[in-house]
Amino acid sequence: MPNAAASPTELLNEAAAMAQARKTGMPVVVSASTDETTLITADPVSGNFVAELSARPARVSDGGGGWRPASARLVQAADGSWRTEAGVAEVMISNGGPAGVVAALNSDSATASVSWPEALPVPVVEDTTATYAEVYPGVDLVVRADLDAVETFLVVKTPAAGKNPKVRDWSMPISTPGLTAKTLDNGVKSLVDGSGTARMLVPPAVMWDSTGKTANLTHAADRLEEVAQTKSAPVGLKIAASKLTASPEDSFLDDPATVYPVVIDPVLQSIDQTHVLRVTDDWSKWDGAVGNEGKIGYNGWTSPYYRSRMFYQFSWPVSGLLPAQISYGEFRYTQVHSVQHSPCLSTSSTYPAVRARLATAISSGDTWADRTGDAWHPQPSVLPVQKIAVGHIDYCKKSAFEVWNLTSALKTERADYASRTTVTVGLYSDDEGNKNGWKYYYNKDGTSPVLRLTYQLTPQVPQSISVSPIRAAAVGSTPATTWSPTPTLSAILKLNTSDACVAQSCLQGEFTVKNSAGVVVASKASYAVANGGNASVAIPGLVDGQTYTVTVRTRSVDTNLYSAFAPPFTFTTDWHPDSPSELKVTDSNGAVANGSPPWVLSSQPGFSVRLPADQICAGTTDACLQASFVVTSGSDVESTMVASGRPGDVVSVIVPSSEALSLGTHTVSVQVKQTVTQQVSGVSSFDFQRLEQPPRPALSGLVHTVGDSAESLVVHLDDAIASGFYTWTMDISDGENTDHIVHTNLQADANGNLTVPWVPRTANAEVSVTVKVFTISDAENNPIYSADSEAQTVTVWMN
């Protein structure tokens, strides 16, 4: 097992830990997930993660970003007091001296302490215990530290000592700043703060004798231990007037069958979340108060007889763990005692086995009645993989792990109680009326019990979900709009970054499509793709003008694990093609008509249009868009034509001779149909004229210009015919004489301007220049004589 106690230089998440494990070939701890009760390891061989979960703390922070083993062993502080070596709560135990605080507990800003009313000797400290000898004649005071609790014991060594009134009504001053004692139904004294929140607990007190123990025990741990034959009884407990008072039963102390020493045990315990619970027919203990052994079965050896069960609560190692992620789960518990002296390590059915079963969450308020019936989850109980009885603790001195395979139960638990963050394992004897099933299990630290869970990572949630094709106008908009009746849904699929496909293509996308009413209209899985690949499916059967919602999850073909669903993706359908664009009319020579409105001379002009570009021809290479041209004059339809093409094509038609156009104003209208979906676009149209001869040129802006070496006259043609030829006539008059000049075969520049050189005829005179223009030919030099333009006049000063 990798060392979790070392301080890491960098916290490793699951991905980083697995990457390092595969690089080194050795297991690596997922240090980013390590806490007091959780240790997760990346296994490079299987690619799985192994989580070892402890009910009680197995490790504590070392203060430097790492961990150290949890330890309640007492070490002496600089002030002489004794503290736990590595506990969860802060425990202080006195080193003796004048009357005062003997034990204090500080946890999460809540503090409580108990005092001894008289001077105390220097204690004998052994491991987790401090023993103050002879605090009363024949009575020792023992204080035992735990990771989150402190226990005070009176060890009454003789019957005579048991008759001391201070034993029969044992009181210690108690201080609980800001906390008030509240008695619960099960006898627990709950110390609550001003808001009513429980901060600390004093469980019901218990006492037991030394029946079955070896005489003359010298070590505190041995004297405090309960053995199989130990006789026990409850102790009255109250907190009042700043005193904690324990009142043992007189009948127990006076009973001739009681074997001394007798141990009386009140406990002061912090409260976080209850992790360990022991319930009997008569009383309950939890967490540190349970002691070093978990005791299970029927104690039919010494009166009072009772049944005992153990419950352990663990935190799930990762949130949202799916049942399919769990490949194996086991509960491991070290058995240290069974009733037989011989043989040791028996597998005989004489000694009933212990069953494990999952249960509801435990709390410090639970009694036996709370741990039966509905407290059990519906999964069946499980017997250990191998039933054993290790033998009597005093004679065999054996211990052995018992293992319960809880894989099936844990999977069901995650399916039935997915929102729970904890899982509780309960243990009880297979025969709770048979005293031969009385067993002890090691319960001292985080090494026993352990819930060991092997799990796999799920794929990542799908990314970059999209629909295609989408309308050009809808690019970047939400929701996206597709024009296709069979759109393609796509998503990027990825494993967790530490994983790799066993097969080259190991990921499938599972797409579910619902309509606006929430009804599933399609559910399809993609072909398998490689890690990081784009998975896609075609979705038929949709309806135009609807909104659809898509959910997608990733499935690993290698492990059959699923990711969580990606956030819903929404798209709409609109199957109508966009309207056509760039509609033009051409004369019989192919020249694009100019003018406002455009004009042609031919009775069989041509028309062209660009088809919408955001349509594809689904499932075919043929032209899927059809443009219908209609030419009207007033309310009369003069010509209809059709042209087909693919998206973005420019298609053209020519009016047939049978539908030759009359002179006058006409309208051409074009509509596009998608031949696969039979959906049509909007209509594009414009007006044009068919003329017998070109219109008179429209002139404007006649100007006289003077350059560096030449002078010119420039006139603008409002609707110049590109590459057409013009004749320019002008009359130059000085008031007395008029010159008539003609320029032929002139072409307009790109701006529609005609330019002629200016040669002065008369010096030092002001002259008037009048210009007219008419068309002599089109761009192909075909004669199309037009009438003269209106005259334009400019005054020029002759130098």
Side-chain angles (χ1 to χ4, degrees), residues 603-604 638-641 655-662:
S603 63
Q604 295 177 251
E638 292 195 292
S639 182
T640 58
M641 296 147 287
V655 174
S657 59
S658 60
E659 298 176 357
L661 305 186
S662 60

Side-chain angles (χ1 to χ4, degrees), residues 494-534:
K494 294 182 180 180
L495 292 166
N496 269 282
T497 52
S498 63
D499 292 347
C501 285
V502 176
Q504 183 175 2
S505 298
C506 71
L507 298 176
Q508 281 184 308
E510 293 193 351
F511 296 78
T512 300
V513 182
K514 295 181 180 180
N515 62 21
S516 56
V519 177
V520 175
V521 296
S523 183
K524 295 185 70 175
S526 70
Y527 289 110
V529 298
N531 185 20
N534 186 39

